[in-house]
Amino acid sequence: MFLRKLTVLLVPLGMLLLLCLLFPLFSSMDPFFGSLLLGAVMGVMLALLLPLAGATRLREPFAWLLWIPAAVILLVLLYQFLASQQVGQNLPVLRLLATRDTRVITAESAFAAYMLAFSIRTGKGI
């Protein structure tokens, strides 16, 4: 029981330390890909922390459906990458999705990575 409590305390701190060590590496990269990778790492880390929080059920009946919103977010990220490369910016509807704010890209990729990791861990996968 003591080892479980110690694991619950130390694993999130270790993940935070890893993230703090990787943050300068991600910020030195291209602004789009750096924030994309930072969000992906954060999302996967959050999904891996679920078992520590007590979510130990391995089969959720509808968890595999999380790949649908994750795919939509990945398509938005693909368009944002194309817009950052000056491809397809003149389409009026898609112009709303184009952003150069790295915080938005980080949040979107964190959501997509979290949903995909949670779908694979608890559902049938992709």
Side-chain angles (χ1 to χ4, degrees):
M1 191 60 142
F2 174 73
L3 288 177
R4 172 132 174 96
K5 290 180 182 178
L6 190 64
T7 302
V8 168
L9 291 173
L10 293 181
V11 170
L13 292 175
M15 286 182 170
L16 182 66
L17 178 67
L18 178 68
L19 192 62
C20 289
L21 291 174
L22 290 177
F23 190 72
L25 174 71
F26 292 143
S27 61
S28 68
M29 295 174 71
D30 180 54
F32 183 83
F33 286 113
S35 43
L36 183 79
L37 287 175
L38 178 65
V41 167
M42 287 175 21
V44 169
M45 283 183 177
L46 284 174
L48 292 177
L49 283 177
L50 284 174
L52 289 177
T56 57
R57 188 171 174 190
L58 290 178
R59 290 287 174 204
E60 292 287 334
F62 298 109
W64 63 275
L65 289 174
L66 285 175
W67 70 270
I68 296 170
V72 170
I73 292 174
L74 290 174
L75 286 175
V76 168
L77 284 168
L78 175 68
Y79 176 73
Q80 288 173 348
F81 170 71
L82 291 176
S84 70
Q85 300 297 317
Q86 310 297 332
V87 176
Q89 283 184 336
N90 298 330
L91 299 172
V93 175
L94 295 179
R95 208 173 335 158
L96 296 171
L97 299 175
T99 181
R100 297 187 190 269
D101 191 3
T102 58
R103 294 172 296 183
V104 173
I105 295 170
T106 302
E108 289 172 346
S109 62
F111 273 105
Y114 174 79
M115 287 186 283
L116 286 175
F118 187 72
S119 170
I120 290 170
R121 190 183 75 79
T122 61
K124 299 173 186 170
I126 300 173

